[in-house]
Amino acid sequence: MPLSCTTETRALRTMRGRHMRSAALIGLLVGLTACDSTFDMDMRRFAPGGLSTTEAAQGATTAARPKADARGVISYPSYQVAVAKRGDTVAQVASRIGMAPAELGRYNGIAVDARLREGEVLALPRRVAEPPTGVIQPDDNIDITTLAGDAIDRADGTNAKPAATATSGEQPTQHRVTRGETAYSIARSYGVSVRALADWNGLGPSLTVREGQFLMIPVKVDTPVQTASVAQPGQGSAAPIPPSSAKPLPKDEAVPEKVSAPASPKLEETRTPASNALMSLPVAGKVTSLFDAEKAGYILVSAKQGDPVKAAANGTVRLVSKDVEGEEIVVIDHGNGTQSAYSFIEGIKVKKGQSVKRGQQIASASKNQYNAIQFLVFKGTEPVDPMPYLN
């Protein structure tokens, strides 16, 4: 269930200051986009002061979802679910498990002709024939092949961990989504990572949930404690042989002088229009403030009032609006889950849904205290450092 426009706007009005304004801008992009699509993301990490509640999920290790039978059925003692295959509709899933499409769709709050994501889970309103392997029963002896912490990824992705592949016979809690809930809020309330919740329920990259939807909460497993072996006294590496008075000491050998590496070139100052980078700077100025995943999910590029602001790459205008402080915003969708956003601008020359080319003027720089424009790049639901795209 995406964030409501009212809830998002109320939260953004509490934000002040330069870095808080960044959170407001990013939050507005999400909130406004959510009004006309199924975009959903967690913005708490952009606001300083301890608003994050993800610590409990950071260290949680969860089992992998059990495999379904040929029909897609997973059977637990208290309930059953059906897992969609690629291209399935609700009606096709219902036909495969021997159930009326209207009954299955009504129970899950979804139309019978709705196209499902591969791996998406539907709860069954009544039991169907059990899988050949029978009902999954709790098992105290969990077979663990690989245990990995599936903590929520940081913005830069360098600390991302693979999903756990351990399996458990424990019956997962079944949660029904209520109005206003998101995948993030549900994951936090159960102390699991949002990625594990998405994997178990086939939520897809948008992490969209809908009111009335049934979700399986990933089963947590204990990580075995690794104990380091301690060498006994007198054991271990042998002591070096002391120098002998009968043999001369080795001659000192001159250590070659270290040669310092040349300084890295400032690419943002030397880039030319012929660059092969995925994106180009939206204005002709220099980068004056770099991306900071913890404080500011954007870069600032110097610009004077009236300087043309151009599209960083080919794409389609997804949003033309203003943030809570009245700053105009343009968001361009470049495909493959990549979007760019432009702020501290005025005189917008494009409309929502319009196709734009790289280098095409979309607005002009406005007069502001930073003498710059604000430029963001999104990958999926996370703002990322624009510099790799520009370099």
Side-chain angles (χ1 to χ4, degrees):
M1 188 76 181
L3 294 174
S4 70
C5 304
T6 303
T7 302
E8 185 69 16
T9 303
R10 187 183 304 117
L12 295 176
R13 285 173 180 162
T14 66
M15 299 180 176
R16 295 292 184 269
R18 176 178 174 183
H19 294 314
M20 294 301 285
R21 188 196 171 281
S22 172
L25 171 60
I26 300 171
L28 177 67
L29 299 181
V30 174
L32 291 177
T33 308
C35 295
D36 60 2
S37 72
T38 55
F39 202 68
D40 178 24
M41 73 181 290
D42 180 21
M43 296 310 305
R44 286 173 170 78
R45 71 178 184 80
F46 290 102
L51 290 182
S52 176
T53 58
T54 60
E55 287 82 359
Q58 291 281 356
T61 300
T62 51
R65 185 180 70 187
K67 291 184 178 180
D69 69 0
R71 301 167 299 167
V73 174
I74 300 175
S75 186
Y76 287 103
S78 299
Y79 64 86
Q80 292 176 311
V81 298
V83 181
K85 299 179 180 180
R86 183 185 297 273
D88 269 350
T89 62
V90 174
Q92 288 172 319
V93 173
S95 175
R96 194 160 56 242
I97 63 177
M99 183 174 291
E103 180 183 12
L104 182 61
R106 183 169 55 251
Y107 189 69
N108 288 272
I110 187 171
V112 296
D113 59 349
R115 186 74 61 181
L116 302 172
R117 293 178 296 274
E118 183 177 11
E120 186 170 351
V121 171
L122 297 177
L124 304 190
R126 55 181 173 82
R127 298 191 78 86
V128 297
E130 303 294 352
T133 53
V135 178
I136 298 175
Q137 297 292 343
D139 182 6
D140 293 333
N141 298 319
I142 300 173
D143 177 22
I144 300 177
T145 57
T146 303
L147 282 174
D150 51 357
I152 298 175
D153 297 346
R154 295 182 181 272
D156 60 7
T158 56
N159 294 326
K161 299 178 181 179
T165 58
T167 57
S168 170
E170 181 181 344
Q171 177 173 291
T173 301
Q174 197 173 33
H175 176 90
R176 190 162 197 175
V177 179
T178 59
R179 184 180 297 274
E181 287 187 313
T182 68
Y184 289 96
S185 65
I186 295 170
R188 281 192 296 270
S189 66
Y190 286 97
V192 298
S193 77
V194 72
R195 187 174 63 183
L197 184 70
D199 289 344
W200 271 69
N201 297 278
L203 299 184
S206 64
L207 303 177
T208 303
V209 294
R210 63 181 181 277
E211 183 178 2
Q213 180 180 4
F214 286 95
L215 298 176
M216 292 192 294
I217 304 303
V219 176
K220 296 181 184 179
V221 294
D222 295 328
T223 304
V225 178
Q226 299 293 334
T227 57
S229 59
V230 179
Q232 296 298 320
Q235 297 181 354
S237 59
I241 300 175
S244 171
S245 61
K247 294 182 180 181
L249 294 174
K251 295 181 180 180
D252 292 334
E253 295 184 1
V255 178
E257 183 180 353
K258 292 184 178 179
V259 179
S260 58
S264 299
K266 296 182 178 180
L267 297 178
E268 68 273 16
E269 298 182 5
T270 59
R271 188 178 297 103
T272 67
S275 171
N276 291 324
L278 295 176
M279 294 184 178
S280 57
L281 280 173
V283 290
K286 298 179 180 180
V287 176
T288 59
S289 179
L290 295 176
F291 178 86
D292 186 335
E294 297 301 324
K295 296 179 181 179
Y298 59 86
I299 63 172
L300 292 177
V301 187
S302 63
K304 302 187 298 294
Q305 183 179 14
D307 284 352
V309 178
K310 302 177 181 180
N314 298 345
T316 303
V317 178
R318 184 171 184 179
L319 178 69
V320 175
S321 187
K322 293 183 179 181
D323 69 7
V324 292
E325 295 183 359
E327 292 287 351
E328 294 186 274
I329 304 165
V330 171
V331 179
I332 299 177
D333 188 344
H334 305 291
N336 296 321
T338 304
Q339 301 177 80
S340 60
Y342 313 74
S343 185
F344 294 150
I345 58 176
E346 61 186 11
I348 295 175
K349 300 180 179 296
V350 292
K351 297 180 180 180
K352 182 178 179 180
Q354 178 180 339
S355 295
V356 295
K357 296 291 186 181
R358 175 172 175 166
Q360 177 181 339
Q361 184 175 359
I362 59 173
S364 299
S366 65
K367 183 178 181 180
N368 58 79
Q369 60 181 317
Y370 308 114
N371 294 318
I373 71 158
Q374 197 175 57
F375 180 59
L376 303 87
V377 174
F378 282 87
K379 188 64 177 177
T381 60
E382 289 289 328
V384 296
D385 187 356
M387 297 308 296
Y389 291 84
L390 297 169
N391 289 338

